Every structure is written in structure tokens, then in C-alpha cells.
Amino acid sequence: MQKNYDVIIIGGGTAGCAAAFTAAKAGLKTLLVEKNIHLGGLITSGLVVPAMNSSQNQINTSFSEALIKELRSMKGQITYLTNPGWFNPELCKVALDRLMQKAKVDILFNTRVVGLNILNKRINGVTLSSNMLSVYICAKCIVDATGDCEIATLANCNFLQNEKRFQPVSLRFMMGGVDLQAFSDWLLDFDKDRNVTTSQVVDGQIHLSTAYTWDKHTNWALKPLFEDAVAKKILKNEDRNYFQIFTIPYMPDSLAFNCPRVYFANEIDPLDNLQVSKALIKGRESIIRLANFCKIYFPGFDNSYISNIADALGVRVSRRIRGKYIYTVDDLKSGKKFDNPVLFSNYPIDVHSNKEGESLLEQTVQEYQLPIESLMSEDYDNLFVAGRCVSADFYAQAALRIQPSCFSMGEGVAKYIAELK
Ligand SMILES: Cc1cc2nc3c(=O)[nH]c(=O)nc-3n(C[C@H](O)[C@H](O)[C@H](O)COP(=O)(O)OP(=O)(O)OC[C@H]3O[C@@H](n4cnc5c(N)ncnc54)[C@H](O)[C@@H]3O)c2cc1C
């Protein structure tokens, strides 16, 4: 393997894949370093599907279009109610391998950065470690797409930790063996006023989504079932704080669950491994109760089983870089315009809370933009970030973190780097 790259991207997740693909397509020698044995980050390890729908006027969408095309060719994607982000998380792993190979990205799985060569305000290279072997690689630019700013931490960067606020974490799972026809028939009748339930046949398969949460005082159809299950000790009260399910493309007997949200007395600090470990154990117990609840209360679940539990805890927000521009919720709410935007979006400010009635889903302006400067470290001239570790305040990040925006950030930062060459 060559030892000099134009750009090294660390973290082969949502934003990192977009950055690597775009950089390589632009002719940059590109290395993608991932600690796991597959790409996709939260989409694959965290089972976070589907991607949210975003604004019609999005920019930097070439990567997501390429991913959709690749997945569709493998029967791993559908467009559901105008949203093309319904992905099969397992096939995503293969689609991303293929895209990176086509773009000629060098990938190192199972590898971490253990050292940095820093001179003045530049990071000139990284020491990588894999299976006890260390290798030093030079690079002109570094992109930290680890979600938690792991490289920026090694580089002793400044962060926006002033607020020390987190959102709840979730441990997602999937169930197989579900009779979706029976479940859908029952659900459409049970949630007659369609507060949250949607259903549509796409490519011959029934697709649906539904939800229940104690957050808002909505007349949730599923509420009496959850309350009954708590009264009978089938569920714990905390299990009913958030429940959401989606079908998965071309998996005609499977459902993906956006739950349980896991918490203790306070929000879990996702950077504290002891708290994360306890959350994983607690989350897996909650999954057992939720799967049992589905079997007891939902038609179509007689032969159902837990088919997959995420191997990554779903972290919504942790460390964020202190960038050359700190994007604020006021910028977002006013739709402030910038000279070099990397994304346009209209996704609302989405703050989960474990306290009943305290979650926030606030639609703001028609469209807002994020400037490239929010992806540049203020401490180094050639260190960039992409993804949920963006330089944005707590409320702005709560709108920016969705997958379409992470894709655009990765693509936008790579295009910027390509122009520096
Ligand atoms: C529970 C939950 C539900 C969500 N629901 C939705 C939804 O329905 N739709 C939507 O669009 N968005 C949703 N989101 C938001 C969205 O999925 C994430 O914000 C987004 O995927 C984050 O992308 P990222 O690239 O920043 O991080 P990730 O996708 O997590 O990528 C980070 C990558 O870096 C790797 N990595 C980390 N450290 C290192 C290291 N030291 N060395 C090498 N590699 C490393 C990781 O293994 C991973 O592959 C949800 C998030 C959560 C937590």
C-alpha cells in the first residue's frame, strides 16, 4: 500500500463514506480508515433505517444518489411515500464496499489511528494500528468522520462541550418471522384516524410505519396496549417512552425498531464507556421485553423472533468540534445564507428527552444552510470534520444530524478539499 495520500478519512460511516467516495471521484488519493469490519456506521452497525426525508433543494447529493442506485440494483432500497432513504442495512454494507471500490478508495478495516504527526497548525500524517502492526501514512488533509471527534481529541482540539448536554441513546433491533399482512390489516383498523400509522404496497411488499411515545399528549392508538402491558408487568414503564417501527426493503417478514431509548437517572454520557456498557446491557433486556410485548399484543407476531440487535449504541450527539464557524440555532431559524454552503435542509429541530412531554420536534424555516467553515477545525489548517460532530450548538446539531445532511457534509467537505489541491 502506498504511504502518501491526498486525504485520509477516519470513520467509514454515514458522512465518512460520502467524503471518501467524493474525494476519490475528484481524483484525490484517498484512504478510508474504519475501526469495524464493514462500512456504514450508524446505518449498518446501529440499524438506523430509514434515512429521513429532506428538502427538495438539497445540494451535494451525488453520493446518496449513487448509494440509492447501487442498493436498488441489489434489491436493497425502495422509495416509500416520496422518501428514497428506505435502505436494507445489511445490503448497505455490500453496496458501500462496491461504491468505494468503483471510486478507487483504499479501505483499511479493523484499524485505528494511534498517533499524529503535528507541525505548527497542520497534521502531516497519522500512525495507524491494526493487529499489532503499525504504519505511518502522510496526508495533505485529514477528515475526522468518527462521530465522536476521536482524531480531533488525539490532536487536542477545542470542542463545544460547554453545554455538556446529551440526547438519549437508543439500542435498535430487528424482528423476523412477522406476518406483515396480518399485522398491517390489524394496525390500519386499530389506528383508524391514522395519527402515525402509514402503509403502502411497494414492489409487491407491504410497507408500514407506526409509533407510540409518552412524549406528547397525542391520542396514540397504541397507548392502551402499552399501559396494559405495564400494568401486567410485561413491560417496565420506561419501555414505553419511545416506540417506532418500520418495514425493510425486500425483507417481507421483518421489522426494524427505533427503540428502546435507554437511560438512567440522567442522560447517558456517550463518551463514558462505563455508562455506555451499562446502557447496552440494559437496552438488550428492554429488547427482550419489547419483543415479547409484540408477540402478545400484535396479530401477526406468533412466529416472530429477534433477528438482529445493533452492535453500536445509537448516539445522537456527543463531542462537537469548535470550528472556524460555530453554527447556531439562530442561524438555522433565520435561514441564514452563506457563501460556501455544504447542505440545504428543512429537517426540524429534533430533541429527544426521557422526561414525559419534554421532547421537541420544531419545524422552523422552509430551508436552512450549513457553511463549510462549520466543518473546519479552528485549531488546524488541514483538519476537517463531517457528520454529527459538526461545529454546531446543541439545538442546531439536533436538526443537522440526519443521514441526508451527513451525506451532504461528507460530500461537501471532500469537494472543498479537492479544490484546495
Ligand atoms: C437512535 C437513532 C435514530 C436515528 N434515526 C434516524 C433516522 O431515522 N433517519 C436519519 O436520517 N437519521 C437518524 N439518526 C441520525 C443519523 O443516523 C446519525 O446522526 C448519522 O448516521 C451519523 O453519521 P456520522 O457519519 O456522523 O457517524 P456514524 O455513521 O456513526 O459513523 C462513524 C464511523 O466512524 C467509525 N469510527 C469511530 N471511531 C473510530 C476510530 N477511532 N477509528 C476508525 N473508525 C472509527 C465508526 O465505526 C463509524 O463507522 C438517528 C440516530 C440515532 C442515534
Side-chain angles (χ1 to χ4, degrees):
M1 194 180 67
Q2 65 196 89
K3 302 280 170 57
N4 289 295
Y5 282 88
D6 292 315
V7 58
I8 302 180
I9 292 136
I10 300 113
T14 318
C17 284
F21 179 80
T22 310
K25 282 272 189 193
L28 301 182
K29 280 184 233 155
T30 306
L31 176 66
L32 182 58
V33 179
E34 168 56 48
K35 71 174 180 184
N36 286 332
I37 58 163
H38 58 75
L39 301 175
L42 270 185
I43 301 172
T44 52
S45 317
L47 302 176
V48 179
V49 286
M52 290 289 177
N53 224 354
S54 190
S55 142
Q56 291 295 313
N57 302 320
Q58 278 181 79
I59 56 169
N60 289 325
T61 55
S62 300
F63 171 75
S64 61
E65 283 157 21
L67 177 60
I68 287 166
K69 196 168 160 209
E70 193 67 50
L71 272 171
R72 191 179 299 145
S73 75
M74 307 167 69
K75 286 195 173 284
Q77 176 274 346
I78 58 151
T79 297
Y80 178 72
L81 303 175
T82 77
N83 181 0
W86 281 52
F87 302 153
N88 173 315
E90 290 304 319
L91 292 181
C92 244
K93 296 174 183 170
V94 185
L96 288 166
D97 285 345
R98 289 184 181 175
L99 285 179
M100 296 308 141
Q101 281 172 305
K102 282 182 196 166
K104 303 203 183 331
V105 173
D106 285 343
I107 301 176
L108 276 177
F109 287 127
N110 224 359
T111 304
R112 280 175 176 272
V113 174
V114 292
L116 301 173
N117 173 358
I118 294 172
L119 192 65
N120 300 325
K121 290 184 76 183
R122 292 186 72 80
I123 301 174
N124 295 316
V126 300
T127 305
L128 301 174
S129 183
S130 167
N131 299 333
M132 310 297 284
L133 288 174
S134 286
V135 50
Y136 176 73
I137 298 183
C138 294
K140 291 179 187 147
C141 289
I142 309 282
V143 179
D144 183 341
T146 60
D148 294 329
C149 278
E150 295 219 359
I151 308 312
T153 304
L154 265 184
N156 221 0
C157 286
N158 286 305
F159 298 106
L160 302 178
Q161 276 180 308
N162 47 335
E163 303 143 284
K164 253 282 180 189
R165 277 194 70 180
F166 303 110
Q167 293 208 36
V169 295
S170 298
L171 185 65
R172 298 184 62 147
F173 69 106
M174 282 166 49
M175 290 186 78
V178 181
D179 180 341
L180 281 180
Q181 182 72 60
F183 180 50
S184 170
D185 290 348
W186 170 81
L187 187 63
L188 290 175
D189 186 52
F190 196 74
D191 189 10
K192 277 201 191 67
D193 59 4
R194 302 285 191 278
N195 265 337
V196 285
T197 301
T198 66
S199 179
Q200 193 185 57
V201 174
V202 182
D203 217 357
Q205 183 192 326
I206 292 173
H207 283 281
L208 60 85
S209 68
T210 195
Y212 160 72
T213 160
W214 70 11
D215 284 345
K216 290 183 192 157
H217 304 290
T218 305
N219 191 18
W220 304 100
L222 297 179
K223 186 176 176 189
L225 305 189
F226 276 86
E227 288 181 342
D228 189 66
V230 172
K232 291 182 175 144
K233 300 198 182 321
I234 293 162
L235 291 178
K236 291 189 177 180
N237 194 39
E238 66 201 41
D239 296 326
R240 64 177 194 93
N241 84 39
Y242 194 90
F243 178 84
Q244 193 175 26
I245 46 183
F246 304 94
T247 44
I248 308 158
Y250 304 99
M251 293 182 74
D253 64 350
S254 294
L255 287 168
F257 290 69
N258 183 12
C259 51
R261 266 194 331 215
V262 192
Y263 63 98
F264 299 107
N266 296 311
E267 305 292 22
I268 286 159
D269 177 347
L271 300 171
D272 178 334
N273 260 347
L274 188 60
Q275 290 188 39
V276 167
S277 305
K278 286 181 179 166
L280 287 164
I281 292 166
K282 189 173 177 183
R284 288 192 272 266
E285 289 297 342
S286 181
I287 288 170
I288 299 294
R289 291 192 296 275
L290 286 164
N292 188 35
F293 162 79
C294 292
K295 252 183 194 289
I296 294 170
Y297 286 87
F298 296 159
F301 277 71
D302 293 347
N303 299 316
S304 65
Y305 53 90
I306 296 166
S307 54
N308 204 348
I309 297 177
D311 15 85
L313 192 62
V315 173
R316 294 182 168 87
V317 59
S318 65
R319 243 184 238 118
R320 281 153 293 133
I321 195 88
R322 179 174 282 277
K324 291 205 160 70
Y325 186 86
I326 300 170
Y327 188 76
T328 67
V329 72
D330 290 338
D331 294 336
L332 187 144
K333 284 185 171 177
S334 64
K336 185 169 174 179
K337 299 207 167 22
F338 295 92
D339 289 343
N340 287 308
V342 286
L343 67 85
F344 292 173
S345 177
N346 58 6
Y347 187 71
I349 300 168
D350 184 1
V351 181
H352 290 239
S353 169
N354 289 320
K355 303 205 173 69
E356 204 167 341
E358 289 191 12
S359 287
L360 172 76
L361 190 64
E362 186 185 349
Q363 194 71 49
T364 53
V365 283
Q366 211 49 25
E367 206 156 70
Y368 51 86
Q369 321 185 340
L370 178 79
I372 181 74
E373 290 80 7
S374 293
L375 303 179
M376 298 173 170
S377 145
E378 77 166 6
D379 301 290
Y380 294 93
D381 294 335
N382 65 342
L383 175 63
F384 300 82
V385 301
R388 65 177 170 80
C389 49
V390 56
S391 175
D393 70 23
F394 179 80
Y395 285 97
Q397 194 274 359
L400 292 167
R401 68 164 190 270
I402 57 163
Q403 291 164 19
S405 296
C406 290
F407 289 148
S408 295
M409 286 186 226
E411 185 167 330
V413 89
K415 283 180 179 163
Y416 181 86
I417 291 170
E419 278 170 22
L420 292 177
K421 210 183 157 191

